[in-house]
C-alpha cells in the first residue's frame, strides 16, 4: 500500500453561528468561484454548535479575523492511502483502522478525519510528521507530493534526531449519541454546481431549523442539523439530511447505485481537544473488527461517524 502526503497545508477553524453573516461573501467565493481563489482544499461542515472550516493557506487568506472566528493553533498536513497508485474509494475509515489509525494512536499522534465521496483524508499536525513517517514506514510506501509529483520518503528521512517515542496516557472513552435523522452521502459534477447554487446558499446560510421529523426526548432520539460540503482538488462531496436532499434537483445529485441512507454516531459529550489522541481509533477499531464501513468527519468540537442505516444495531453491539 502507498501513503501519500499531499501538498495541502490546512488550517482548521470554527465560525460561530451569530457571525456567519460576516463570512458569507468569502465562503460563497470559495464555494462557487474557485477560479477567483487558488484554494484547492475547502471543507465546510455545519453542526448544531458552529461551522467548521478546513481550508488550505490560500483559502485561509480569504477569511477576515473577527471575534466569531476561532483558529486551531496547528497547521495540518493531509494524507491518503492508495493501492497501486489509485485512491481507495470512500467505503470508510475502517479500511485504514488497523494500518494507519491504530498505529498513530498508539504513538500518541492526534489525527482529524475527513471522509468524502471520493476518498478518506487523514489530517496530522505538521509538527508530528516525523513521528508519522517513522510509525508507518514499515507498513507503507510513503510519498510526499512536491510540485504535483510524488517523491519517495523513507523512514530514514525522519530518523536523524528523531526523539524517543513517548506513549501517552490511555485515551478517554467518550460518550456517543445517535441522532434520529438519516443522511445521504452524495457527489456532484462541478459543472452543474451553478444549477444548485441558490438551494445550496439557502441551506448553508439561511436554513438553520432542525429537520421536521425531530422528535422530543433524550439525545439518543433527537435530530440534529448537519451538512458537510467539500471541494477538494475539483471533486465535490456532500453529506446532508435526507429531508434536506428533497430541496435539491434529484437528477443532479449522484450517489451509489443502492442509494442507501446513513445513520450518524456523534462522538463526545463535551468538546474534544485537538491534542487528544485515539478518538478516531476508538470508533474505527470496533467497526473494523466486525467489518462495518463508515464515513468519518471530524469537526472543531466533535467527531461524527456515519454507518449504513441497517448497520446501526451492529455498531451498538460492536462498541
Amino acid at each position: 500500500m502507498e501513503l501519500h502526503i499531499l501538498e495541502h497545508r490546512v488550517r482548521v477553524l470554527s465560525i460561530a453561528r451569530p457571525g456567519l453573516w460576516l463570512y458569507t461573501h468569502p465562503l460563497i467565493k470559495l464555494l462557487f468561484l474557485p477560479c477567483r481563489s487558488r484554494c484547492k482544499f475547502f471543507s465546510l461542515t455545519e453542526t448544531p454548535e458552529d461551522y467548521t472550516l478546513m481550508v488550505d493557506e490560500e483559502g485561509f487568506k480569504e477569511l477576515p479575523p473577527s471575534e466569531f472566528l476561532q483558529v486551531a493553533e496547528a497547521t495540518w498536513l493531509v494524507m491518503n492511502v492508495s493501492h497501486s497508485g489509485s485512491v481507495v474509494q470512500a467505503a470508510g475509515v475502517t479500511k485504514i483502522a488497523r494500518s494507519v489509525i491504530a498505529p498513530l494512536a498508539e504513538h500518541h499522534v492526534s489525527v482529524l478525519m475527513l471522509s468524502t465521496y471520493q476518498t478518506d483524508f487523514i489530517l496530522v499536525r505538521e509538527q508530528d510528521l516525523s513521528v508519522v513517517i517513522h510509525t508507518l514506514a514499515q507498513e507503507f510506501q510513503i510519498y510526499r507530493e512536491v510540485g504535483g509529483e510524488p517523491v519517495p520518503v523513507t523512514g530514514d528521512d525522519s530518523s536523524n534526531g528523531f526523539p524517543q517515542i513517548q506513549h501517552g496516557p490511555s485515551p478517554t472513552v467518550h460518550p456517543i449519541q445517535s441522532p434520529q435523522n438519516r443522511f445521504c452521502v452524495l457527489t456532484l459534477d462541478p459543472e452543474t454546481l451553478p444549477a444548485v447554487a441558490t438551494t445550496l446558499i439557502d441551506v448553508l446560510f439561511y436554513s438553520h431549523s432542525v429537520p421536521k421529523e425531530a422528535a422530543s426526548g433524550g439525545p439518543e432520539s433527537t435530530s440534529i442539523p448537519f451538512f458537510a460540503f467539500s471541494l477538494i482538488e475539483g471533486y465535490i462531496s456532500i453529506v446532508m439530511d435526507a429531508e434536506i436532499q428533497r430541496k435539491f434537483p434529484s437528477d443532479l445529485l449522484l450517489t451509489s447505485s443502492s442509494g442507501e441512507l446513513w445513520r450518524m454516531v456523534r462522538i463526545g459529550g463535551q468538546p474534544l481537544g485537538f491534542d487528544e489522541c485515539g478518538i478516531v481509533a476508538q470508533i474505527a477499531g470496533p467497526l473494523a473488527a466486525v467489518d462495518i464501513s463508515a464515513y468519518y468527519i471530524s469537526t472543531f468540537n466533535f467527531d461524527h461517524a456515519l454507518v449504513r442505516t441497517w448497520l446501526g444495531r451492529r455498531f451498538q453491539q460492536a462498541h
Side-chain angles (χ1 to χ4, degrees):
M1 289 190 295
E2 297 176 358
L3 180 75
H4 289 256
I5 304 167
L6 308 181
E7 290 187 286
H8 311 295
R9 300 179 74 248
V10 170
R11 303 304 302 268
V12 180
L13 314 94
S14 166
I15 299 176
R17 283 181 170 273
L20 183 63
W21 63 271
L22 185 61
Y23 294 92
T24 302
H25 181 267
L27 290 177
I28 288 177
K29 179 179 179 180
L30 292 170
L31 274 163
F32 301 110
L33 302 171
C35 59
R36 301 283 183 90
S37 169
R38 296 168 64 186
C39 179
K40 301 298 183 185
F41 192 103
F42 172 81
S43 172
L44 173 64
T45 304
E46 177 192 7
T47 64
E49 297 77 25
D50 58 5
Y51 292 81
T52 294
L53 279 174
M54 296 182 182
V55 292
D56 59 23
E57 292 174 317
E58 292 297 328
F60 185 58
K61 293 176 183 177
E62 302 287 344
L63 304 168
S66 77
E67 61 181 311
F68 302 108
L69 186 71
Q70 294 185 66
V71 184
E73 292 183 3
T75 298
W76 299 77
L77 300 180
V78 183
M79 309 184 301
N80 63 17
V81 173
S82 65
H83 294 272
S84 302
S86 62
V87 175
V88 175
Q89 293 302 304
V93 66
T94 49
K95 278 192 172 182
I96 55 172
R98 295 187 181 95
S99 59
V100 178
I101 301 303
L104 292 182
E106 290 171 1
H107 290 82
H108 205 58
V109 175
S110 180
V111 304
L112 300 176
M113 285 295 308
L114 179 62
S115 293
T116 69
Y117 188 90
Q118 292 78 23
T119 190
D120 294 293
F121 295 105
I122 311 119
L123 282 73
V124 298
R125 292 179 295 191
E126 190 170 37
Q127 67 198 50
D128 292 331
L129 182 60
S130 61
V131 181
V132 171
I133 295 173
H134 186 88
T135 301
L136 302 179
Q138 291 185 343
E139 181 77 20
F140 292 93
Q141 292 179 308
I142 301 178
Y143 297 87
R144 185 159 192 175
E145 288 191 1
V146 180
E149 296 295 326
V151 176
V153 176
T154 68
D156 294 337
D157 293 339
S158 65
S159 61
N160 186 22
F162 184 79
Q164 183 177 1
I165 295 173
Q166 298 293 326
H167 291 272
S170 299
T172 302
V173 177
H174 291 281
I176 61 172
Q177 299 175 354
S178 184
Q180 182 186 11
N181 41 330
R182 304 296 188 263
F183 296 89
C184 309
V185 180
L186 309 153
T187 189
L188 179 73
D189 185 337
E191 295 296 324
T192 63
L193 184 58
V196 300
T198 301
T199 304
L200 190 56
I201 289 172
D202 178 67
V203 169
L204 281 172
F205 301 113
Y206 300 105
S207 178
H208 308 302
S209 60
V210 175
K212 294 179 181 179
E213 74 274 16
S216 59
E220 292 299 320
S221 62
T222 302
S223 296
I224 66 167
F226 185 91
F227 189 97
F229 177 97
S230 67
L231 177 56
I232 300 173
E233 297 181 347
Y235 292 97
I236 294 174
S237 180
I238 305 173
V239 176
M240 68 175 77
D241 180 276
E243 290 294 313
I244 297 296
Q245 183 191 6
R246 297 177 184 177
K247 297 183 178 182
F248 289 83
S250 59
D251 58 330
L252 298 182
L253 299 178
L254 307 175
T255 186
S256 63
S257 58
S258 59
E260 68 270 13
L261 296 180
W262 298 75
R263 182 85 180 264
M264 175 182 289
V265 177
R266 184 169 150 93
I267 302 100
Q270 296 181 342
L272 307 171
F274 289 107
D275 291 327
E276 189 173 346
C277 306
I279 300 171
V280 181
Q282 73 175 247
I283 299 297
L287 289 175
V290 292
D291 198 28
I292 295 178
S293 297
Y295 290 90
Y296 199 104
I297 298 177
S298 300
T299 60
F300 201 89
N301 291 300
F302 298 97
D303 281 10
H304 309 81
L306 292 154
V307 298
R308 291 180 178 87
T309 303
W310 62 275
L311 289 172
R313 184 172 299 177
R314 285 185 63 191
F315 170 79
Q316 295 291 347
Q317 294 171 350
H319 194 74

